[in-house]
Amino acid sequence: MGKLQAVTGNQAVAEAMRQINPDVCAAYPITPSTDIMQRFSQFVADGKVDTELVTVESEHSAMSACIGAVAAGGRVMNATSSQGLALMWEMLHIAAGDRLPIVLALVNRALSAPLNIHGDHSDGMGARDCGWIQLYSENGQEAYDNTIQAVRIAEHEDVRLPAMVCQDGFIISHSIESMEYLDDKVVKDFVGQFKPTHPLLDIDNPVTYGPLVLPDYYMEFKVAQDRAIMNAKKVTLDVAKEFEKISGRSYGLFEDYKLDGAEIVLVVLNSAAGTAKDVIDEYRSKGIKAGLLKPRLFRPFPSAEVAETLKDAKAIAVLDRADSYGGFGPLYMEIAAAMMTNGSKPTLINKIYGLGGRDFFPENAAATLDELKEIAETGKVKNHKEYIGYRG
Amino acid sequence: MKLKNWKELALGSVIPEAGNADTYNTGSWRTFRPERVEENCINCLFCWVYCPDSSVIVKDEKMSGFDYEHCKGCGICEHQCPGKKGNKAIKMVEEGK
């Protein structure tokens, strides 16, 4: 067993990075992720890691430097939030398309405007289609565990894709919770040595990265990329099994909480799942068949597995901490598409909550469960999509 | 040429063979071709220095012609050519004429 600590989510991720000891990190500060690289740069200054820390003039440059460093043959990590991730956007596609396994700590924060520094998922969901693996974390422990596992998933020979590990800004990143660190040697052995595929620093075997690929070949590379990210599902499960052996903590593609025989279900990511679980317990104790599904792996999305797990539910509310304005929330769209793959058709509703760090209270979860109960009984839906927890 | 399928390609569009641009004949892109006027050539080799496609052939330190398989007809060689007494040693001539 490792050491029990009282730490913040950011502290936990910085500690994971120290234990992973990457070859290169490129950093540019942005709230609320700043703290991760600030702590990590202290590790660099104190000689506790062998990392080359590259300070850059923007997040676009940070991701560009990461891409160059991993193509050169190094293990590379980085951290960002919100506008920082948005500024990286074009480079995110390049990291994925060039099949470069960078691990990025994403501390979820609302996108401007209006300017806001608090936690919501609009940054991560905005990067949904960039080809990165996305792991979401409920608390600091999960953020720490996911960071260590992400290295193995991203670098696996069947995958070779970048991965981002998401946690809620401030709610998790700056809140102290009790959690367990693994021993340095255990983490070192678990992540192993980075094995580059076509390192630019191998000067005896020169290669070209990033050539022009015209219509005669572009599709083939995209097929390969899609197969690779779909492989990440199995790899995530395999890595989780190994991780359980060293940590005693078990992870899947998603967490199913009291879903056995559940008729009404909440689907929710990250920290709000913790709040909602308490309410599920309360409803279960009243004899109401309520359950919760918390996706962990959002990209690739485990559609078939989610659909199989939720097939007997009568009514499902998908809670999104981001919106696709004029459409449904991104998590809702994923769940709705998943439920079409096996023909089961529970009634689905979409709630947009907690934007810009607005608190998600137990009563928000309770009101949604009450609405689901009514839908399950009457089959009638008042609103397919609505915002909750606002004035007016 | 048989095109490779997705399983046969290197990871992430990396090109593992160095210098394989040689196998890509860009000469067909050309609408004007450079032609040499030998009597005006002073063998300064400015054309060789400036050619972006390494399509000026030099033998025994002397300009000896063009690689039309790769020359795209950009005309930089003609522009840079000092010639002899104001008469250029390279002239761009429209293809097909």
Side-chain angles (χ1 to χ4, degrees), chain A residues 105-152:
Chain A
L106 176 66
V107 183
N108 293 113
R109 161 185 156 184
L111 285 170
S112 295
L115 176 63
N116 177 291
I117 55 167
H118 289 274
D120 82 22
H121 303 153
S122 50
D123 51 1
M125 289 301 163
R128 179 191 66 178
D129 300 337
C130 292
W132 283 54
I133 294 161
Q134 288 191 334
L135 289 161
Y136 281 81
S137 325
E138 182 181 324
N139 48 41
Q141 182 76 68
E142 289 192 10
Y144 172 84
D145 292 349
N146 281 342
T147 302
I148 294 165
Q149 291 175 74
V151 172
R152 290 280 305 275

Side-chain angles (χ1 to χ4, degrees), chain A residues 97 206-209 211 217 220-221, chain B residues 3-4 6 10-16:
Chain A
V207 296
T208 301
Y209 270 87
Y217 271 114
E220 279 65 29
F221 285 113
Chain B
L3 295 174
K4 290 177 178 171
W6 71 270
L11 211 62
S13 73
V14 159
I15 301 174

Side-chain angles (χ1 to χ4, degrees), chain A residues 97-99 160 197-198 205-211 213-214 216-217 220-221 223-224 227, chain B residues 1-20 24 29:
Chain A
D98 283 353
R99 307 287 301 278
R160 301 303 289 188
T197 39
H198 293 289
N205 296 292
V207 296
T208 301
Y209 270 87
V213 176
L214 293 170
D216 58 348
Y217 271 114
E220 279 65 29
F221 285 113
V223 169
R227 301 290 171 112
Chain B
M1 188 171 70
K2 192 177 175 290
L3 295 174
K4 290 177 178 171
N5 71 35
W6 71 270
K7 289 177 206 162
E8 296 162 337
L9 295 168
L11 211 62
S13 73
V14 159
I15 301 174
E17 309 90 29
N20 73 345
Y24 192 23
W29 300 12

